[in-house]
Amino acid sequence: MRPLLNVVQDTCGRHDTFGLACTARGYEERGFPGHVNCSDNMSSALAPYGVAQRSAWPAINFFWNTWIDPATHHLMTAESHSRPGDFVAMRALENLVCVSTACPDGIDPINGWNPTDVHVRIYRPDTPIRRAVAYREKEDAPMSISQESAFHDRFAPLTEHFAPARDLWAPVSFPGHGTLGEYWACREAVTLQDMSGLRKYDVVGPDAEKLLQLATTRNVAKLPVWRGSYTLICDESGTVIDDGTLFRLGPDLFRWCCGSEESGRALNALANARGLQVRIHEMRNALPNLALQGPKSREPLRKIAFTQPQVPSLDILKWFGVTVARLNDRDGAPFMLSRSGYTLELGYEIFCAKGDALTIWDAVMQAGAEFGIVPMGSAALDIIRIEAGLAAANAEFAPGVDAFEAGLGFAVDLTKADFIGKPALERNARDPRRILKGLKLRCDDIPAHGAPVFAGERQVGLVTSATRSPMLECAIAMVRLSVEHAGSGTELEIGQLDGRMKRLGGIVTDIPFIDPQRKRARA
């Protein structure tokens, strides 16, 4: 209960505090008497400090990959998740004697069957080390250290609760309002949220439309300039690779705003395979963006958004419309403005250059003050997006789950001549096996992702996302069900405590849970 070390940076993210440091006896019992071991190493290093020898020492086992087997309750080990160059940086909270020993275990997978040295570096107390974790676009990609968003200087005085959003730190909540306060502000007034962790790609060139027509599930040929469309990129099996909003900014100019870099790699691979004349420019963190959401979100923009006559003005911007604007007048800071968001409330998204980020944040907050504007974090957004029935990666859509099973069939146009994954989706649409529905529970218990859904003794589905709905005053869950048990009004149960010892009863509903006609977003 007494903190001694504060983890400041961690590039691996998977370590162990269960297992004792290895001991002489442990090796003896396995037929290796005299084997060097960490506990003896630690006792030897501590002896000059008057610390008595122990046959076994508790330890923090950095880079160990361990877990408890749920069936046998045994401590299991496997090869480490760490890669060459991974590290952990810690700040001592008081004067300490610390001992480090490189694990010598070469007779099981803990060290990947190859024990190696560990490097320990001690920094001076005044060395600046910012808080960070590692981010890799994919397993074998180079490591990058998490960065602060372009808006961070405005968040830092308001909260210390940040979490990684890909390679950026994003606020989780703001204690001055609390998650519930932020939630109700989005429902009743207006909120401003940093969404800079989204990935953005400019797709430019004579074959831009042809590429996107092949890669995405909606008909790009019908997308006019200054309009956007929510769409998907699927693989050949119909599994969703990524979702996002595609904006058309010119006849041969598109901007793809999405969740992961995998869709960027998929676009590049398809363009190269088809020999298309198109350039795919990854914006990375060069285009930070804000989400201005809530029933009063239009009002602050009316005070600050200036548009030229050749582009859509704010008041004629319909749902998924997009335009370019400036702050206050023709010489103000420029930004791209879209009527979109992840809340199904009336809302807008603002995309700008990094150098203008703080200026635009300040202008929006000042203009929104009279309308009760509140900064919002990711915790409140997650409640709202579940109420709105909006899909998330690694939840509603995941490997092995096609677009229909992920509840995203509305974004699939099977009348298109061709797109990647169309044959599989046509087959699955004819004979669906699973469907995404809602489950309104008769309690406030929030089930975990992956919790089983039962009809009597038989599992018929699983939970993909769940929360407690402040508006409905009960727990709700999005669930993937077999079609035989997916009828609205069906009574089902979510299993807790090994799936069977406790049951949470509920009624199957359609999603969204709130505003099914999506009138709020179209207001």
Side-chain angles (χ1 to χ4, degrees):
M1 298 301 294
R2 181 177 176 181
L4 300 177
L5 293 162
N6 177 25
V7 177
V8 181
Q9 295 187 351
D10 181 3
T11 66
C12 176
R14 190 170 179 90
H15 313 281
D16 168 80
T17 56
F18 291 114
L20 287 168
C22 60
T23 64
R25 187 177 184 87
Y27 288 111
E28 291 165 0
E29 296 292 338
R30 299 174 69 181
F32 295 86
H35 197 291
V36 63
N37 63 89
C38 287
S39 287
D40 286 349
N41 288 348
M42 294 164 76
S43 290
S44 175
L46 288 167
Y49 297 90
V51 179
Q53 180 176 353
R54 296 187 189 181
S55 58
W57 279 95
I60 303 172
N61 302 304
F62 289 108
F63 310 118
W64 272 26
N65 176 19
T66 65
W67 67 97
I68 303 296
D69 182 84
T72 66
H73 306 296
H74 291 169
L75 179 65
M76 309 298 291
T77 65
E79 295 182 33
S80 175
H81 285 207
S82 63
R83 302 166 176 83
D86 274 330
F87 63 90
V88 178
M90 296 171 289
R91 179 178 290 111
L93 300 181
E94 58 183 84
N95 289 332
L96 300 173
V97 174
C98 294
V99 175
S100 172
T101 170
C103 178
D105 189 340
I107 57 176
D108 57 38
I110 285 174
N111 288 312
W113 308 100
N114 180 33
T116 57
D117 290 338
V118 63
H119 180 76
V120 178
R121 180 180 292 160
I122 300 174
Y123 293 91
R124 296 182 182 277
D126 58 352
T127 302
I129 301 177
R130 58 182 173 81
R131 192 171 64 149
V133 295
Y135 176 75
R136 292 177 174 88
E137 295 181 3
K138 59 191 184 87
E139 292 79 3
D140 57 350
M143 175 181 69
S144 61
I145 295 294
S146 51
Q147 304 292 314
E148 294 174 349
S149 157
F151 304 102
H152 184 81
D153 286 351
R154 295 298 180 265
F155 299 139
L158 303 177
T159 183
E160 294 181 357
H161 194 186
F162 292 86
R166 301 170 186 87
D167 59 344
L168 295 176
W169 288 114
V172 176
S173 65
F174 295 88
H177 302 280
T179 297
L180 276 179
E182 298 160 32
Y183 167 90
W184 284 113
C186 188
R187 289 298 194 197
E188 297 176 346
V190 55
T191 57
L192 190 61
Q193 182 174 17
D194 184 7
M195 299 295 288
S196 301
L198 290 174
R199 293 310 187 228
K200 300 101 179 176
Y201 295 86
D202 284 347
V203 184
V204 184
D207 292 332
E209 180 184 303
K210 185 180 296 184
L211 170 65
L212 293 166
Q213 189 76 319
L214 283 168
T216 65
T217 56
R218 276 192 159 150
N219 196 336
V220 181
K222 293 183 178 180
L223 187 64
V225 175
W226 304 122
R227 290 289 299 164
S229 174
Y230 174 81
T231 188
L232 315 173
I233 294 180
C234 295
D235 64 16
E236 289 80 359
S237 67
T239 297
V240 180
I241 292 175
D242 204 357
D243 70 336
T245 307
L246 181 67
F247 297 107
R248 190 169 205 157
L249 306 182
D252 303 314
L253 175 59
F254 297 84
R255 180 161 290 156
W256 171 235
C257 301
C258 59
S260 81
E261 296 86 358
E262 187 177 359
S263 60
R265 295 193 294 271
L267 289 173
N268 273 298
L270 184 58
N272 292 333
R274 300 297 178 99
L276 300 179
Q277 188 178 350
V278 60
R279 181 173 66 89
I280 302 161
H281 176 56
E282 184 178 4
M283 305 293 285
R284 301 197 68 83
N285 295 322
L287 197 67
N289 67 294
L290 298 168
L292 184 69
Q293 303 286 300
K296 298 181 182 179
S297 57
R298 189 182 289 118
E299 305 313 312
L301 291 173
R302 280 185 170 141
K303 298 172 66 175
I304 62 172
F306 170 85
T307 53
Q308 298 280 15
Q310 71 270 18
V311 298
S313 65
L314 173 67
D315 285 327
I316 67 171
L317 208 60
K318 291 184 170 58
W319 197 21
F320 280 103
V322 62
T323 190
V324 290
R326 290 181 179 271
L327 281 183
N328 302 318
D329 56 43
R330 63 183 300 164
D331 297 318
F335 56 94
M336 184 181 97
L337 178 67
S338 65
R339 187 173 161 182
S340 54
Y342 199 42
T343 64
L344 283 192
E345 292 285 349
L346 173 66
Y348 298 84
E349 292 182 282
I350 296 169
F351 303 79
C352 64
K354 290 181 71 172
D356 295 323
L358 296 182
T359 300
I360 289 175
W361 171 276
D362 292 342
V364 176
M365 290 297 289
Q366 183 178 353
E370 66 176 286
F371 307 107
I373 193 168
V374 166
M376 187 168 78
S378 58
L381 178 65
D382 200 48
I383 297 172
I384 292 169
R385 74 98 186 162
I386 294 172
E387 288 182 338
L390 298 174
N394 300 314
E396 284 65 51
F397 60 93
V401 178
D402 74 26
F404 293 112
E405 294 173 336
L408 297 174
F410 67 90
V412 176
D413 184 357
L414 293 177
T415 66
K416 280 176 61 174
D418 189 26
F419 62 88
I420 302 300
K422 181 183 176 183
L425 289 171
E426 286 180 321
R427 178 195 66 221
N428 296 351
R430 288 192 298 268
D431 191 18
R433 296 180 58 197
R434 300 179 294 177
I435 188 172
L436 192 74
K437 296 284 284 192
L439 197 63
K440 186 177 178 182
L441 302 178
R442 298 188 184 88
C443 62
D444 288 335
D445 296 47
I446 301 174
H449 169 76
V453 180
F454 289 94
E457 290 298 306
R458 305 300 301 168
Q459 182 175 347
V460 297
L462 56 81
V463 173
T464 60
S465 295
T467 190
R468 183 189 182 277
S469 168
M471 190 170 287
L472 299 177
E473 298 185 357
C474 65
I476 57 174
M478 288 196 282
V479 291
R480 186 171 297 113
L481 301 173
S482 61
V483 294
E484 294 81 6
H485 298 85
S488 294
T490 303
E491 300 266 353
L492 296 175
E493 295 177 312
I494 297 175
Q496 304 283 277
L497 300 176
D498 293 335
R500 295 183 178 272
M501 295 172 64
K502 177 181 178 180
R503 296 290 182 90
L504 309 178
I507 299 175
V508 176
T509 69
D510 292 330
I511 48 178
F513 292 93
I514 294 170
D515 188 28
Q517 280 76 45
R518 306 188 177 188
K519 294 179 179 178
R520 291 171 176 257
R522 294 186 170 94

